Amino acid sequence: MTEAKAPDSSRRSERSRRAIYDAALALVGEAGYGRTTIEGIASRAGVGKQTIYRWWPSKAAVLMEAFLDLAEQAAAEAGADGAAEYAIPDTGDLRTDLRRVLRATVDEMNSPAYDAPARALAAEGVLDAELGAQFVEKLLEPQLQLYVDRLRAAEAAGQVRTGLDARIALELFVGPLTHRWLLRTLPLTHAYADTVVDYAVDGLAPRP
Amino acid sequence: MTEAKAPDSSRRSERSRRAIYDAALALVGEAGYGRTTIEGIASRAGVGKQTIYRWWPSKAAVLMEAFLDLAEQAAAEAGADGAAEYAIPDTGDLRTDLRRVLRATVDEMNSPAYDAPARALAAEGVLDAELGAQFVEKLLEPQLQLYVDRLRAAEAAGQVRTGLDARIALELFVGPLTHRWLLRTLPLTHAYADTVVDYAVDGLAPRP
C-alpha cells in the first residue's frame, strides 16, 4: 500500500490489525485451529468480519501474519533492531551467540502467550500437509535460514569445519529443543540449552 | 494370565488381538485420533466391542499397545531377537551403530504404515498433555533409554567424553529426525541420517 493516508486512519488501521492478531492467536490457543473462525476473530477483535476479509484471504493467512508479528515483537524485545532485526548475533564467538539464541528460544517455548497458539498451529501442520507446508515456507524456513547465515559466517571465520552442511547442522540445535517442546518429554531450561549448544558446536568444529 | 488355555482358544485370542491392533492403527491413521472409537475398531477387526473392553480400559490403551506391538515387529524385522530385542547394537563402533539405528528410523518414518498412525498420535499428544504424557512414558522414553544405554557403554569404552549427559546427548540424534519428520521440512534420507550421526558423534567425542 503506497497510497498516502491520514494519520488518524493509519492509527485506526494499525490498532485494528493488532487487535486482529491478538484475537487470532488467543483463539487458536484456546479453541484450537479447527474451531477458530474468521467470525470468531472479528468478534473478539471488535471489528467487522469484512475488515478481516479485506486484508487477508483466509484464516490460515491471518494466523501466519499474526505469528510473523509475534516473532518480530520477540526479536524487538530481545533488543535486535534495524536491518539485522532477525539475524542471530555475531560476536565472533559461535558458542556464545548460539547459547543466547537457544536460551531465548527456551524462554519463548515456556511462555504461555507463545506456547498455546504455536502448539495448536504446529499440531495442525503435523496432520494437514498443506497447512504444514505453508507454516514451514512462511514461518519456519526463514527462521532456520538465520542459522544457515550464522553458520556460514562461522565457516568463513574458521570456527566450523569447511564444507559444513549448514542446513543439516542447524537441526542439531533446533531439533532437540523442538522435540522437548512439542513432545513435552523433560523441562526446557537454560542449562539444557547450554548443553545442547556445547555438544553440537563441538560436533561442527574444524577437523584436524 | 497364568491360567492354562486350550491351544485353539489361544490362537483365536492371538488372532483377535492382532486384528484389533491392525484395525486401531489403520483407523487412527485414516480418521485421526478424535474420530477413532472402540466401536469402530471392533467393527473393523470383526470382533465384538466387549472383546476390546475385556482386554483394554480405553481407546488410548489399545493404541499404546498397538504401537508397542508395531515397534516389536519393526525390531524383529531389523533382525533383533531375544533379550536384546530392543537394544541398539554394540559393535564397538558408536558411529556405525547409530548410523544403522538412524537409517532404520528414517525408513520407519517414511513407511506409510508407521507414518499415518504415529503422526496422528503425536499430533494428539502435542495438544492433549495427558495423552502426550502417556505416549512419552509408555512409548517414547523406553525407546530413548536404549540410546542412554548405548551412550553409557560408549562412555565406558572411552568413545565419548567422560560425564556425558546421555539423556541430553541422545536428543542430538532423535531431535533432528523428529523435527524433519513431524514438520516435513525436507526429505528424510539415509544420507541425512549419516550426516546427523557424524556431526553429533563428533560433538560427544572425548575432550583432549
Side-chain angles (χ1 to χ4, degrees):
Chain A
M1 291 191 290
T2 54
E3 178 188 353
K5 282 196 171 188
D8 275 8
S9 161
S10 291
R11 269 201 296 273
R12 269 202 308 278
S13 289
E14 177 52 29
R15 218 159 42 223
S16 296
R17 185 178 295 273
R18 179 142 313 283
I20 290 163
Y21 288 158
D22 290 347
L25 292 173
L27 274 178
V28 82
E30 290 165 15
Y33 183 83
R35 284 193 294 274
T36 296
T37 61
I38 295 277
E39 287 74 10
I41 296 169
S43 163
R44 183 156 182 154
V47 304
K49 70 179 179 179
Q50 286 315 316
T51 302
I52 298 184
Y53 283 124
R54 198 181 320 134
W55 289 337
W56 296 280
S58 65
K59 171 174 83 170
V62 183
L63 272 167
M64 293 293 165
E65 284 199 19
F67 267 97
L68 283 172
D69 181 69
L70 194 66
E72 284 178 31
Q73 287 184 62
E77 277 169 28
D81 57 39
E85 192 167 18
Y86 303 116
I88 292 176
D90 187 349
T91 65
D93 180 342
L94 182 64
R95 197 176 303 261
T96 299
D97 296 343
L98 288 173
R99 275 186 182 177
R100 180 170 157 197
V101 170
L102 262 64
R103 283 176 171 213
T105 304
V106 159
D107 291 345
E108 192 176 54
M109 289 170 166
N110 284 328
S111 142
Y114 173 87
D115 174 77
R119 183 176 289 283
L121 195 63
E124 191 66 24
V126 166
L127 293 176
D128 177 338
E130 199 185 328
L131 186 80
Q134 280 190 56
F135 171 81
V136 166
E137 184 198 332
K138 301 216 171 93
L139 289 173
L140 186 59
E141 284 294 343
Q143 287 177 13
L144 299 183
Q145 197 58 42
L146 307 179
Y147 285 86
V148 170
D149 296 343
R150 184 64 189 85
L151 289 169
R152 293 220 169 114
E155 185 183 348
Q159 292 172 346
V160 300
R161 62 175 76 179
T162 307
L164 183 80
D165 186 327
R167 182 59 190 73
I168 294 180
L170 70 89
E171 295 183 39
L172 269 66
F173 302 98
V174 303
L177 268 69
T178 305
H179 188 264
R180 204 169 265 222
W181 172 56
L182 281 180
L183 304 180
R184 288 185 269 230
T185 50
L186 288 171
L188 277 159
T189 64
H190 285 188
Y192 166 72
D194 290 352
T195 302
V196 168
V197 169
D198 280 354
Y199 293 168
V201 167
D202 281 355
L204 310 180
R207 320 308 303 274
Chain B
M1 289 193 291
T2 53
E3 177 188 353
K5 284 198 169 186
D8 274 6
S9 161
S10 292
R11 268 203 295 274
R12 267 203 307 278
S13 290
E14 177 52 28
R15 215 160 43 221
S16 296
R17 185 178 296 273
R18 180 141 312 282
I20 290 163
Y21 288 157
D22 290 347
L25 292 173
L27 274 178
V28 81
E30 290 164 15
Y33 182 82
R35 284 193 293 273
T36 297
T37 61
I38 295 278
E39 288 75 8
I41 297 170
S43 163
R44 184 155 179 154
V47 304
K49 68 180 179 178
Q50 286 315 317
T51 302
I52 299 185
Y53 283 123
R54 198 182 319 136
W55 288 337
W56 295 281
S58 66
K59 171 175 84 172
V62 183
L63 272 167
M64 294 291 167
E65 285 198 18
F67 267 98
L68 283 172
D69 181 70
L70 194 65
E72 284 177 31
Q73 287 183 62
E77 275 168 28
D81 57 38
E85 192 166 17
Y86 303 115
I88 292 176
D90 188 349
T91 64
D93 180 342
L94 182 63
R95 198 176 302 261
T96 299
D97 295 344
L98 288 174
R99 275 186 183 180
R100 180 170 157 196
V101 170
L102 262 66
R103 284 176 172 214
T105 304
V106 159
D107 291 345
E108 192 175 54
M109 289 170 166
N110 284 329
S111 140
Y114 172 87
D115 173 77
R119 183 175 290 281
L121 195 63
E124 192 64 25
V126 166
L127 294 175
D128 177 339
E130 199 185 327
L131 185 80
Q134 280 191 54
F135 171 80
V136 166
E137 184 198 332
K138 301 216 171 93
L139 288 173
L140 187 59
E141 284 295 342
Q143 286 177 14
L144 298 184
Q145 197 57 43
L146 307 178
Y147 285 86
V148 171
D149 296 343
R150 184 63 188 85
L151 289 169
R152 293 217 169 115
E155 186 184 347
Q159 293 171 345
V160 299
R161 62 175 77 179
T162 307
L164 183 80
D165 186 327
R167 182 58 189 73
I168 293 180
L170 69 88
E171 295 183 38
L172 269 66
F173 302 99
V174 302
L177 268 68
T178 305
H179 189 264
R180 204 168 265 224
W181 172 57
L182 281 179
L183 304 180
R184 288 184 267 230
T185 50
L186 289 171
L188 278 159
T189 63
H190 285 188
Y192 166 73
D194 290 353
T195 302
V196 168
V197 169
D198 280 353
Y199 293 168
V201 167
D202 282 354
L204 309 179
R207 320 308 303 272

